[in-house]
Amino acid sequence: MDVRDEVEAAHRADWAAVVAATARVTRDLDLAEECAQDAFAKALETWPRTGVPDLPRGWLVTVAGNRARDLLRRRAAWRRALPLLVVDDVAPGPDALDEPPVVPDDTLRLVFTCCHPALARDAQVALTLRLVCGLATADVARAFLVREATMAARLTRAKKKIAAARIPYRVPSRADLPARVGAVCEVLHLVFTAGHTAPSGERLVRTELVDAAVRHARTLRRLLPGDRQVAGLLALFLLVDARRAAREDDDGRLVLLADQDRGLWRRDQVEEGAALLAQALGGPEPHRYAVEAAIAAVHAEAPTWENTDWDEIVGLYDVLLARWPSPVVALNRAVALGLRDGPRAGLAALDAVAGESALAGYGYLSAARADFLRRLGLWAAARAAYEEALVLTANASERRFLEERLRDVEGRLV
Amino acid sequence: MATYLLLIYGDEQRWQSMTPDERAEIDAGHRRFRERAGSSVLASGELEPSSTATTLRARSAGAAPSDGPSVTDGPFLESKEVVGGFYVVDVPDLDAALDLAAGLAEATHDHSGVQVQPLVDHG
């Protein structure tokens, strides 16, 4: 592996741990972020000469810590005027970094601070993407479809609130955990979703987001092994992500579930997900994640697209719609109905939800319509629907797929 | 330690037409707050109705400060929701302040709420 790749790999795996460990020393997230960034820059400069250290994370934590101490000395006077991060269960001091960092706890501290209920959901997700997942501010801005300067201001405001309002830098006590874990799950779910199908850009999957979401869901699971919400969330991630390798062809074109090579699905992830799902469903009132994971499990266990249990899938969407109604769930249910009862029934079901203003400008609605129209041989209408879907789709992989379908439909029109 | 102002907002009309049971529930919340907060309460109070307030402000737009303020009857902001009371507490962090505030009945009644805001630390 190229040294550059090694640094990138370390960035993916260790960014959050480096920020989290450094924040214990700096007691200031802004400064911790800056020092972590400096440490990775230093790695890029040093590792080609010295080789990659045996313990890259330890090296990075040490370098970031030294940088932090250096800056703290220089800025001592200026910093006295600023509120410091509330770090109560670790004695902060120059030696704090010399002990090996307790990774899960340290990173979790960061996750729970970023997802504190006193922060707006947008701010929680933005902070998590920047500080925990290590996305550059420009990339976070892209995920939210806002300008980089706007996102930079939003991140700064959020970090200022953490400092000024003294949002503590800690994992909540066991008594408070159940109330706090919901926000973390929701943020991880948003991170996963943004990574599973990137809203824009060249790549279909942003693996660094998906992997970060899975990793932190696993850490939550270790912390709360009996929590059915967490079990459902991790089950959902694993079952959906099991299809990753089959979701794009060699030309970087989206492959629909119907056409995927099921041999490429990660059976180990399916099995692990199914076991977690059993726990998540084993009790009253399953969480939304568990119901969504159950849908993914039905697909995962179907030997072929044709042998998928559509009755079961429609039934699960009915449960979702009854308990957590949303236009997107209604759309997905309509699609499932069409796959069970045929394209004509699917089109009728889509028409019934198409009036939702929240779905105006939603490319998947047009794409679903286009597919049913194509199956019915209504070529002209299918072409119009594919063209509409293309206008509304920004991801290159999805666009390549839609363009191919459009060409196919146009060929039939001649 | 950090100092927070807890402002208890609510619909003044609803507060004025409370049943004795509702009043008792609110009082119980404040007793609980006192017991749990102990010596961390630096100040607190229940406000008389907003109709008893008096507001000082500039006499007109562009008035010279040397003209002195005008004095008018009523609150600074006319609104259905008013501040009915407050606490100033000195606690370790926001979670501790939120935890105290969550014990107040006004935090869960449908017309009221508690705003928790840090005070600037002047060192």
Side-chain angles (χ1 to χ4, degrees), chain B:
Chain B
M1 296 297 271
T3 312
Y4 297 88
L5 173 62
L6 278 52
L7 285 171
I8 302 164
Y9 281 92
D11 181 332
E12 192 158 41
Q13 294 236 302
R14 297 273 303 270
W15 270 334
Q16 280 166 358
S17 55
M18 269 188 299
T19 64
D21 278 359
E22 284 167 337
R23 179 79 232 182
E25 198 190 334
I26 284 181
D27 288 346
H30 287 283
R31 271 198 303 278
R32 200 159 49 232
F33 188 100
R34 283 278 176 188
E35 276 163 27
R36 296 179 61 214
S39 62
S40 65
V41 179
L42 303 183
S44 66
E46 178 179 355
L47 300 193
E48 291 285 356
S50 65
S51 59
T52 65
T54 307
T55 300
L56 288 76
R57 68 179 91 214
R59 288 178 182 277
S60 59
S66 57
D67 291 346
S70 79
V71 177
T72 50
D73 176 30
F76 182 70
L77 294 171
E78 284 290 353
S79 158
K80 202 167 74 148
E81 275 85 22
V82 298
V83 174
F86 71 93
Y87 286 97
V88 178
V89 295
D90 193 37
V91 290
D93 56 47
L94 183 64
D95 281 355
L98 295 179
D99 188 42
L100 284 174
L104 294 173
E106 290 95 325
T108 51
H109 287 173
D110 65 353
H111 69 90
S112 57
V114 184
Q115 177 174 322
V116 179
Q117 198 166 340
L119 300 190
V120 173
D121 179 4
H122 287 294

Side-chain angles (χ1 to χ4, degrees), chain A residues 68-347:
Chain A
R69 278 187 283 274
D70 196 35
L71 288 176
L72 284 175
R73 259 196 304 278
R74 268 194 261 162
R75 297 178 185 176
W78 171 71
R79 276 175 53 85
R80 266 196 286 277
L82 294 179
L84 295 179
L85 203 57
V86 180
V87 183
D88 56 357
D89 45 350
V90 184
D95 298 329
L97 281 182
D98 298 342
E99 326 152 13
V102 191
V103 176
D105 283 62
D106 239 3
T107 308
L108 264 184
R109 223 190 293 263
L110 188 62
V111 172
F112 274 99
T113 303
C114 291
C115 299
H116 195 279
L119 298 166
R121 179 55 38 88
D122 271 5
Q124 294 173 349
V125 181
L127 280 174
T128 303
L129 287 173
R130 175 72 199 110
L131 294 180
V132 181
C133 303
L135 247 66
T137 304
D139 289 327
V140 183
R142 210 165 300 128
F144 278 86
L145 307 174
V146 299
R147 286 172 39 241
E148 184 175 350
T150 309
M151 182 49 69
R154 189 184 294 176
L155 284 165
T156 303
R157 203 163 47 237
K159 282 182 281 192
K160 271 205 183 115
K161 175 157 186 186
I162 289 175
R166 311 289 209 281
I167 290 177
Y169 186 53
R170 75 160 92 87
V171 175
S173 68
R174 208 141 269 285
D176 294 335
L177 257 184
R180 294 282 306 278
V181 86
V184 176
C185 286
E186 221 166 300
V187 168
L188 292 181
H189 186 250
L190 287 168
V191 170
F192 180 88
T193 309
H196 178 68
T197 303
S200 64
E202 188 57 30
R203 291 179 299 157
L204 179 66
V205 183
R206 302 202 55 165
T207 47
E208 69 278 22
L209 295 189
V210 171
D211 291 343
V214 172
R215 194 162 58 241
H216 295 304
R218 279 192 192 284
T219 316
L220 275 188
R221 164 106 186 126
R222 273 199 298 277
L223 190 71
L224 293 165
D227 189 294
R228 290 166 54 223
Q229 178 181 357
V230 173
L233 184 76
L234 184 54
L236 174 64
F237 288 177
L238 292 172
L239 287 164
V240 169
D241 183 53
R243 303 178 209 136
R244 190 193 296 185
R247 291 179 60 222
E248 253 186 323
D249 64 16
D250 294 340
D251 303 324
R253 195 187 298 129
L254 170 80
V255 179
L256 290 188
L257 192 51
D259 306 319
Q260 285 175 17
D261 174 359
R262 294 176 181 231
L264 294 175
W265 290 1
R266 289 270 306 266
R267 294 324 301 186
D268 55 332
Q269 278 190 217
V270 170
E271 273 163 36
E272 192 188 351
L276 286 161
L277 179 58
Q279 182 197 345
L281 290 174
E285 299 282 306
H287 195 276
R288 177 164 58 94
Y289 305 132
V291 183
E292 289 177 10
I295 294 172
V298 176
H299 285 301
E301 279 148 20
T304 63
W305 173 255
E306 291 72 26
N307 291 324
T308 304
D309 188 347
W310 295 110
D311 252 344
E312 180 74 19
I313 287 187
V314 172
L316 288 166
Y317 275 117
D318 284 337
V319 173
L320 278 180
L321 201 57
R323 287 193 48 202
W324 301 280
S326 89
V328 172
V329 170
L331 167 63
N332 288 333
R333 183 190 170 276
V335 172
L337 202 84
L339 294 169
R340 186 186 68 181
D341 301 339
R344 210 169 289 282
L347 275 179

Side-chain angles (χ1 to χ4, degrees), chain A residues 28-42:
Chain A
D28 172 336
L29 289 176
D30 235 349
L31 189 57
E33 180 189 335
E34 187 185 327
C35 295
Q37 218 157 10
D38 288 348
F40 281 97
K42 190 114 186 158

